[in-house]
Amino acid sequence: MRSIYELRYFLEKRGFEVCSRLAERLGMKAKHVRIFFIYLSFFSLGAGFALYLVLAFWLKMKDFLFAKRSSVFDL
């Protein structure tokens, strides 16, 4: 039972932050965006989860490409 809570904590702490970043961009609560992804996953048989992973990859690449570097030696 303890491992379930540890897994939940790990995912909340180090998740992709897709829902929170998307909610911030749209001016909504992250809770509503998460519920949207859950319902989309149920109704479309996993397409919501696939969309979530695509958005996570896209946000990670955007952060990587547009990261502010302090000097030339950070390349």
Side-chain angles (χ1 to χ4, degrees):
M1 197 63 153
R2 183 172 179 232
S3 63
I4 293 172
Y5 292 116
E6 289 175 359
L7 177 65
R8 179 179 170 203
Y9 177 75
F10 176 79
L11 291 175
E12 287 177 354
K13 183 80 172 163
R14 294 182 179 86
F16 295 117
E17 299 178 359
V18 172
C19 294
S20 59
R21 290 176 68 178
L22 189 61
E24 182 180 315
R25 183 93 157 167
L26 297 173
M28 301 171 61
K29 290 184 179 181
K31 174 184 172 183
H32 297 294
V33 177
R34 286 185 191 106
I35 290 174
F36 169 76
F37 277 115
I38 290 169
Y39 286 150
L40 184 64
S41 293
F42 282 130
F43 290 125
S44 63
L45 301 175
F49 182 68
L51 177 65
Y52 182 87
L53 290 178
V54 168
L55 286 173
F57 176 74
W58 179 65
L59 288 173
K60 202 57 115 166
M61 290 306 296
K62 185 180 113 229
D63 290 345
F64 179 71
L65 292 175
F66 296 113
K68 293 183 181 179
R69 294 181 177 91
S70 58
S71 73
V72 156
F73 301 109
D74 288 341
L75 297 174

